[in-house]
Amino acid sequence: MAGSDAIRERESPKRLIAEALRIGFHSLGISEATRSPHADRFLRWIEKKQYASMQWITRNTQRRIDPRKSLPGARSVLTVTLPYSSAVSSTGPSTEPGAKVARYARGRDYHKVMRPMLESLCEFVSEGDRWNTWWSVDTSPLLERDWAELSGIGWIGKNGIVIDHEIGSWFFLGAIVTDRSFVASTPAMDHCGNCTRCIDACPTSAIVSPRTIDAGRCISYWTIEHRGELPKESRLHNWLFGCDICQEVCPWNTREGRKDPQIHPELAPRQFPTDPQEITHLSHEAWLEIYAGTPVTRTGYEGLKRNAHKIIEQRIDPGE
Ligand code: B12
Ligand code: SF4
Ligand code: SF4
């Protein structure tokens, strides 16, 4: 029986949450499948071209702001979290020298880790072909953080990242949209208060206003998503791939009493070379051996060498 013909009452999520935890997720929250309350902010961001060269984000905008466009008849959005290691890299925090790789990218590619986990949870939700499901992790058109906030997972910090008050922000998000209806969780409250540490610490002023990132100024964008030569004015501040500064300074990630969640074994951090000179000399085979299966390959062999060259260039001429 298709979902639309089946029982319409909201169900208790108790068994669903237990199943998500059994599969290995850290938490699961539920929100109603509606238009995102921040949809207009997203559309303004697109209008202002704050996506730099990420043209792909301008496609499917209606689907991105409303999950019902991806799954007609959708009733619930289930948001799950999967923590990654918060341990500092072998080069230490971003104040220390050495080419740095963001924490999220130091284990196996999370898309690969989360895919079977989400598929397994979808199987549980759909009960054979009784209910329809559609899932997303990062690359699908869905404003994942908006539903994470609505489903009580955490609030969107001024750094633009979802923060869980117990474990901080070192985790990935995944989402399942379904026409099965579950009782929604209580939306998360903002706990940033008057703090502006992330905005003050961002070395490139990419957080142009609280919760709005101009990708064209963000080190994470330059080192991961930008293709071709880096703009002359770009400053990488020793980041070879990604950037963690606006999370490193967040008190919710450093406070005493923060819970250190269990990390999925496949996300255990690897050791990567930290000398940018060494990276510029890597053969293609060596590059594959070191980074295959991790998110770092997204920027490509040439892209990573480009980033290493830029770091070296800026050590010779800091330019500020
Ligand atoms: C495009 C993208 C990027 C781009 C652009 C960043 C950005 N903030 O949008 C780049 C490449 C720069 C990037 C970098 C990073 N990303 Co990214 N990225 C995405 C992606 C694919 C889409 C994000 C998006 O829709 N942006 C659109 C614009 C409009 O977002 P925005 O400016 O932040 O504004 C939104 C909200 O903040 C809110 N908002 C804006 N203003 C206001 C004001 C108020 C008062 C309120 C309440 C809300 C609000 O409304 C807007 C619409 O949602 C998502 C996955 C997904 N499908 O959602 C992952 C995602 C957001 N990224 C993620 C990660 C881990 C990162 C990095 C930390 C990686 C790293 N270490 O280098 C950095 C962090 C940079 C940063 N400070 O945001 C995770 C975040 C997990 C979490 N705990 O929140 C996600 C969810 C991927 C995942 N599935 O886990 N990313
Ligand atoms: S990821 Fe780095 S460059 Fe981007 S907003 Fe955060 S601190 Fe700024
Ligand atoms: S550093 Fe402060 S303002 Fe920024 S996200 Fe964390 S609590 Fe919020």
Side-chain angles (χ1 to χ4, degrees):
M1 179 169 41
S4 55
D5 300 326
I7 315 152
R8 308 297 290 182
E9 286 88 50
R10 287 173 206 274
E11 296 177 48
S12 155
K14 218 171 146 191
R15 281 180 52 239
L16 170 69
I17 293 171
E19 179 63 9
L21 302 189
R22 190 197 63 76
I23 290 170
F25 290 113
H26 173 76
S27 59
L28 179 144
I30 298 152
S31 50
E32 278 182 44
T34 53
R35 188 177 192 266
S36 159
H38 305 315
D40 293 341
R41 293 182 190 277
F42 171 70
L43 295 172
R44 222 174 306 140
W45 187 79
I46 295 285
E47 227 175 79
K48 287 184 170 172
K49 296 197 168 21
Q50 286 174 323
Y51 52 83
S53 71
M54 296 181 292
Q55 280 292 339
W56 48 266
I57 208 166
T58 65
R59 292 190 281 272
N60 299 317
T61 47
Q62 289 308 311
R63 284 181 63 195
R64 207 170 274 277
I65 60 182
D66 190 339
R68 294 168 300 186
K69 299 280 193 296
S70 293
L71 185 80
R75 304 283 308 277
S76 301
V77 181
L78 322 175
T79 300
V80 287
T81 63
L82 190 67
Y84 52 90
S85 173
S86 63
V88 292
S89 71
S90 45
T91 59
S94 53
T95 44
E96 302 285 320
K100 290 160 215 316
V101 171
R103 288 164 178 76
Y104 89 92
R106 302 216 308 265
R108 185 162 186 249
D109 188 337
Y110 60 103
H111 304 95
K112 296 187 174 97
V113 177
M114 287 174 83
R115 185 194 174 113
M117 296 173 75
L118 284 162
E119 282 174 350
S120 173
L121 193 57
C122 278
E123 236 176 83
F124 177 87
V125 172
S126 58
E127 292 185 337
D129 63 353
R130 191 162 178 228
W131 304 100
N132 295 302
T133 56
W134 175 84
W135 62 263
S136 157
V137 51
D138 193 36
T139 52
S140 304
L142 187 76
L143 292 174
E144 291 168 354
R145 291 165 300 164
D146 291 13
W147 278 277
E149 187 175 70
L150 282 176
S151 68
I153 291 293
W155 72 101
I156 302 176
K158 291 181 191 172
N159 58 8
I161 301 165
V162 177
I163 306 169
D164 168 316
H165 73 280
E166 282 185 348
I167 65 167
S169 65
W170 308 112
F171 58 85
F172 302 112
L173 291 172
I176 293 176
V177 180
T178 177
D179 49 13
R180 191 168 170 183
S181 181
F182 292 97
V183 176
S185 324
T186 309
M189 303 270 293
D190 177 8
H191 292 290
C192 281
N194 296 326
C195 175
T196 56
R197 284 193 209 181
C198 52
I199 300 173
D200 304 339
C202 173
T204 56
S205 307
I207 309 174
V208 286
S209 62
R211 302 174 177 85
T212 300
I213 312 296
D214 182 347
R217 296 188 195 184
C218 177
I219 296 169
S220 182
Y221 161 77
W222 286 329
T223 55
I224 302 172
E225 297 293 334
H226 187 83
R227 299 292 171 261
E229 278 299 299
L230 288 171
K232 220 177 157 23
E233 69 280 7
S234 58
R235 297 259 163 257
L236 303 190
H237 296 267
N238 283 329
W239 286 94
L240 180 70
F241 186 87
C243 170
D244 280 341
I245 296 173
C246 55
Q247 294 188 88
E248 284 176 349
V249 298
C250 179
W252 291 95
N253 282 331
T254 54
R255 74 187 175 92
E256 225 179 285
R258 169 189 167 266
K259 275 196 189 153
D260 220 354
Q262 213 176 339
I263 306 300
H264 189 291
E266 292 186 57
L267 295 177
R270 298 189 197 171
Q271 292 300 326
F272 293 139
T274 56
D275 177 1
Q277 288 287 0
E278 183 188 337
I279 293 156
T280 61
H281 292 114
L282 284 180
S283 66
H284 193 266
E285 290 68 34
W287 171 80
L288 264 181
E289 201 169 301
I290 298 167
Y291 300 106
T294 74
V296 180
T297 54
R298 176 155 178 87
T299 201
Y301 172 62
E302 294 301 340
L304 199 71
K305 286 189 160 198
R306 171 205 65 187
N307 296 350
H309 276 296
K310 192 79 178 174
I311 289 174
I312 296 165
E313 200 182 293
Q314 283 166 14
R315 281 183 182 174
I316 298 164
D317 173 18
E320 54 196 55

